[in-house]
Amino acid sequence: DVKVTQSSRYLVKRTGEKVFLECVQDMDHENMFWYRQDPGLGLRLIYFSYDVKMKEKGDIPEGYSVSREKKERFSLILESASTNQTSMYLCASRASGGRAKDEQFFGPGTRLTVL
Amino acid sequence: QKEVEQDPGPLSVPEGAIVSLNCTYSNSAFQYFMWYRQYSRKGPELLMYTYSSGNKEDGRFTAQVDKSSKYISLFIRDSQPSDSATYLCAMKKGGSEKLVFGKGTKLTVNP
């Protein structure tokens, strides 16, 4: 069964802290994504990666960076957390190639609160 | 104008009702159209996938795409309490990795 896991379901951090959100997929997918989901704004793409060590900015990359050292793992980093980064963070993965493989598989999300 | 518009609801219907969920979009380059379902405190999961225009049916669910009107719909027949969730439309251009999501419509089906 397809699985995307995220390191924490709930996280509370202080302003200015460095925050790491980890995502692991067991499907050998090439592509991985980080989104944030906010009421009234929907899902917004932060960064995505189409291969190890490769990354592309999404629609709202400011204040975030990412790391993909291994195919199965994609990390989102908040260098200096701010209160406006309080949100639900969702990781997703998908295979490459072919119309039938357009499906993105999502993890359960990490609810991050920055105080 | 936003690329994808979706009425956030909330929508509340009695069990057994036919539900219609809709999205409009502005970018004619979108070719792939999806509906995701998201239960409370879970990640979204793909429900329906359609390429270009036309209808697709899967059990009680029907997805429709009208590219000439830039309008997509999801119909749920004989709705059940277990259908209570947020439904997100999503679409993408050919050759792109990026999905553009609607804001989601929250549906409650009352027993």
Side-chain angles (χ1 to χ4, degrees):
Chain A
D1 199 16
V2 158
K3 203 156 185 186
V4 179
T5 56
Q6 295 184 229
S7 50
S8 306
R9 293 301 305 270
Y10 300 93
L11 211 51
V12 179
K13 296 292 181 180
R14 298 220 172 263
T15 302
E17 278 194 80
K18 190 168 186 175
V19 181
F20 293 87
L21 302 182
E22 304 284 339
C23 175
V24 178
Q25 50 95 2
D26 65 359
M27 298 163 281
D28 201 35
H29 284 171
E30 291 80 10
N31 305 286
M32 297 188 73
F33 306 81
W34 274 107
Y35 295 89
R36 63 178 284 178
Q37 186 175 32
D38 301 285
L41 295 175
L43 273 164
R44 293 180 291 168
L45 181 64
I46 304 171
Y47 268 97
F48 68 100
S49 168
Y50 52 88
D51 202 350
V52 175
K53 297 193 185 294
M54 306 304 287
K55 61 184 179 185
E56 292 275 347
K57 292 181 180 178
D59 299 317
I60 50 163
E62 297 78 18
Y64 304 94
S65 61
V66 290
S67 171
R68 190 152 180 219
E69 296 297 317
K70 293 185 178 181
K71 190 176 186 180
E72 67 270 19
R73 188 179 298 270
F74 191 34
S75 302
L76 181 69
I77 303 152
L78 287 66
E79 294 288 342
S80 177
S82 63
T83 54
N84 63 12
Q85 292 178 308
T86 291
S87 186
M88 170 69 84
Y89 289 87
L90 287 158
C91 174
S93 75
R94 59 152 280 197
S96 279
R99 186 188 310 171
K101 296 186 188 298
D102 275 329
E103 180 175 2
Q104 289 190 15
F105 295 87
F106 283 85
T110 296
R111 170 75 62 187
L112 172 68
T113 301
V114 182
L115 302 175
Chain B
Q1 183 183 6
K2 298 241 188 264
E3 270 197 303
V4 180
E5 301 266 16
Q6 182 177 9
D7 187 339
L11 187 60
S12 182
V13 301
E15 184 174 351
I18 296 174
V19 177
S20 172
L21 304 168
N22 311 293
C23 287
T24 59
Y25 62 95
S26 57
N27 193 335
S28 57
F30 287 136
Q31 292 183 315
Y32 302 89
F33 304 92
M34 286 149 257
W35 287 94
Y36 279 79
R37 177 175 61 196
Q38 185 176 21
Y39 290 115
S40 182
R41 286 184 284 278
K42 301 273 189 182
E45 56 181 351
L46 183 66
L47 188 60
M48 298 289 283
Y49 176 94
T50 312
Y51 170 65
S52 195
S53 283
N55 292 1
K56 184 173 183 179
E57 190 172 319
D58 184 1
R60 296 183 294 109
F61 298 89
T62 300
Q64 284 186 352
V65 175
D66 182 347
K67 289 191 77 178
S68 61
S69 303
K70 297 192 181 69
Y71 189 87
I72 71 170
S73 301
L74 177 70
F75 298 96
I76 307 173
R77 289 184 299 280
D78 187 25
S79 56
Q80 302 295 309
S82 58
D83 296 327
S84 298
T86 296
Y87 290 81
L88 302 141
C89 64
M91 46 199 80
K92 78 180 195 77
K93 305 172 200 176
S96 173
E97 292 295 341
K98 292 173 63 172
L99 284 182
V100 181
F101 284 87
K103 293 180 182 179
T105 300
K106 185 172 182 179
L107 171 68
T108 301
V109 180
N110 301 299

